[in-house]
Amino acid sequence: MRVTLCGTRGSLPTPDADKLRYGGNTSCVLVELAQGRLILDAGSGIRRLGAMVFGAREPVHILLTHLHLDHIMGLLFFAPFFDPAAEVTVWGPRGGLRGLRERLSRYLSAPLSPIEMRELPARVRFSEVPAEPWSLLGAEVTATPVTHRGPTLGYRIVEDGRSLCYLPDHEPALGCDLDATPLEWISGAAVARGVDVLIHDAQYTGDEYSGTIGWGHSTIAQALSYAHRMGAGRLQMFHHDPSHEDALIDRLAEQARERWRERGGQPEQIAFAAEGDSFQV
Amino acid sequence: MPATERPALERILARNLIAATVTPAFVCDGDGVVTFFNEACAQLIGRRFEESGRLTRAEWNEIGPVDERGEPTHGKPAPLTIALREHRPAVGRFRIKTDAGTPQEVEACAVPLIGADGAHGALVTFVPVGAPPA
């Protein structure tokens, strides 16, 4: 399983000169499996990915964690949607009263979009994720609701005994002591426990979080605690705050690795997700 | 956001809970201001939280309890009033004004949100009487 980070920024694309190393595109991750490719989230980072996939004539699967704009804004610019021969399945969370297609149509319709969902030339299918794990391109995929504002999923992908967990927007520490609460009562444990690679929300510093409690995101320290409790093999700090420039993230990364070492871990287990990075799980 | 403006953790958690459920529900603060209502509630009362935002007590009183003509009633205290005043759960039946315009009888349950540092409002769920199980 090979993972490529196509968008690592949270909330808003930030094409600023001082943010280019970690990247300005919002959440999008490519997962290459033996039998095909999965795309996690459709933030602005999916645009360049679309150019890679376009014309490949393979079924495309996009797994959305939730429908906040920074995770779906790239859909309109995803080239395969405009290929009449393409088959695209968009997976996403159940939303109560309205189906996934209807909820996404709020964005892919006037006045927010010049193009309506029904005008997309490709064959697009919308599927709400099943409650039980399911097989996709030879991998086992598990989706579970997690703590964030609105219906939000975390995903676990397992292929040949190797596992990836994707929790880009997550606030497990809300009302929960991550170091003391029994695992089964911590949000996302069903998909994160014992995972080889954990991609997790690490948007805020501690100072920033004091003003954003309940907004659905984690601090870097909380992400470390979470990864430690879950026994994750490696942690990719993800969903960088739009205000965090490269130099700041470098400093935060150094501090995070030191804190991880204090927990008995190896510094190389901790990475701050950079757009364009690619690694084997 | 200053700490004084930040909703209590109990209300944040309550909001997250009802946002994930399909039973009509809302959360209010200690003054009875509805600070969030979920999609199921929005569908029933005919207004979306994203558009209306918070509802004052006066605005919510226009919705219910109402009589068979849709006029606000002032009879025995509604479950929410009991929960906010007496800090105990309460249930009751009454009518609310729905999107359809006709008053609908609902069965409501109000639970006070009491944290270690005091009362922080209440969570109310309600089900139309006669509605099939979800």
Side-chain angles (χ1 to χ4, degrees):
Chain A
M1 192 189 321
R2 181 156 202 91
V3 171
T4 302
L5 307 174
C6 305
T8 61
R9 189 67 56 173
S11 305
L12 189 72
T14 54
D16 310 331
D18 62 353
K19 299 185 179 70
L20 294 180
R21 259 193 304 118
Y22 289 96
N25 277 306
T26 64
S27 302
C28 181
V29 174
L30 173 67
V31 181
E32 294 176 272
L33 305 167
Q35 295 184 26
R37 292 180 272 207
L38 298 178
I39 300 170
L40 298 169
D41 279 334
S44 62
I46 203 173
R47 183 188 59 83
R48 289 172 64 182
L49 189 56
M52 183 195 310
V53 176
F54 185 75
R57 297 294 181 262
E58 61 186 76
V60 179
H61 292 271
I62 303 173
L63 281 64
L64 299 177
T65 53
H66 62 305
L67 306 190
H68 286 162
L69 205 52
D70 56 326
H71 292 254
I72 64 167
M73 62 171 45
L75 284 173
L76 197 56
F77 306 93
F78 185 54
F81 273 154
F82 299 91
D83 177 4
E87 282 183 32
V88 183
T89 302
V90 180
W91 301 85
R94 295 177 185 276
L97 301 178
R98 290 173 297 160
L100 180 61
R101 183 191 178 105
E102 188 181 348
R103 283 175 282 139
L104 277 170
S105 292
R106 290 185 69 190
Y107 168 59
L108 283 170
S109 64
L112 301 180
S113 169
I115 297 169
E116 305 278 331
M117 193 89 80
R118 60 179 177 273
E119 295 178 88
L120 297 175
R123 281 167 287 172
V124 185
R125 196 166 69 101
F126 297 89
S127 280
E128 293 173 350
V129 299
E132 298 300 319
W134 77 105
S135 179
L136 204 50
L137 302 176
E140 181 184 83
V141 181
T142 306
T144 193
V146 297
T147 300
H148 186 62
R149 281 231 179 153
T152 304
L153 299 170
Y155 286 102
R156 183 186 186 101
I157 300 166
V158 182
E159 185 188 50
D160 292 335
R162 302 297 296 174
S163 55
L164 168 74
C165 176
Y166 180 64
L167 291 164
D169 282 39
H170 194 208
E171 192 178 6
L174 185 63
C176 171
D177 181 343
L178 290 179
D179 291 320
T181 301
L183 268 184
E184 61 268 25
W185 284 95
I186 299 178
S187 170
V191 289
R193 199 166 180 173
V195 73
D196 293 304
V197 176
L198 170 63
I199 299 175
H200 196 277
D201 188 327
Q203 179 149 357
Y204 296 128
T205 63
D207 288 343
E208 290 165 343
Y209 186 65
S210 61
T212 59
I213 295 172
W215 288 20
H217 299 290
S218 290
T219 66
I220 291 160
Q222 289 165 351
L224 288 172
S225 291
Y226 189 81
H228 181 75
R229 284 302 309 277
M230 295 300 143
R234 284 143 59 196
L235 171 63
Q236 286 274 345
M237 301 281 201
F238 198 76
H239 210 265
H240 307 309
D241 190 81
S243 68
H244 290 183
E245 72 276 11
D246 292 337
L248 173 61
I249 295 178
D250 286 341
R251 291 196 297 276
L252 294 172
E254 206 174 303
Q255 292 165 10
R257 292 191 185 101
E258 186 52 39
R259 291 177 84 149
W260 186 253
R261 196 202 311 266
E262 290 167 2
R263 283 180 176 267
Q266 300 300 315
E268 56 269 22
Q269 290 177 279
I270 307 300
F272 275 63
E275 187 175 322
D277 277 359
S278 187
F279 51 85
Q280 288 289 133
V281 171
Chain B
M1 184 191 297
T4 49
E5 291 180 21
R6 206 162 51 233
L9 175 64
E10 294 79 3
R11 281 212 309 282
I12 294 172
L13 291 171
R15 173 187 171 138
N16 284 1
L17 173 62
I18 69 171
T21 63
V22 295
T23 305
F26 64 83
V27 178
C28 69
D29 64 17
D31 296 324
V33 174
V34 175
T35 56
F36 177 75
F37 52 93
N38 66 7
E39 200 178 327
C41 178
Q43 191 175 63
L44 198 59
I45 67 175
R47 63 183 82 181
R48 302 177 61 86
F49 177 75
E50 303 88 77
E51 290 158 3
S52 74
R54 297 171 159 222
L55 297 176
T56 63
R57 282 193 92 153
E59 287 170 317
W60 188 260
N61 285 342
E62 290 291 314
I63 295 172
V66 297
D67 60 23
E68 57 275 2
R69 291 169 298 146
E71 297 297 321
T73 60
H74 303 285
K76 64 178 185 178
L80 174 60
T81 304
I82 295 172
L84 290 178
R85 276 192 202 154
E86 301 179 29
H87 298 168
R88 62 177 177 88
V91 295
R93 279 193 182 195
F94 50 86
R95 292 187 189 85
I96 64 170
K97 243 190 253 184
T98 67
D99 183 39
T102 51
Q104 163 76 55
E105 191 173 26
V106 297
E107 182 122 32
C109 173
V111 177
L113 300 172
I114 313 287
D117 58 343
H120 296 291
L123 182 158
V124 180
T125 67
F126 53 100
V127 180
V129 173

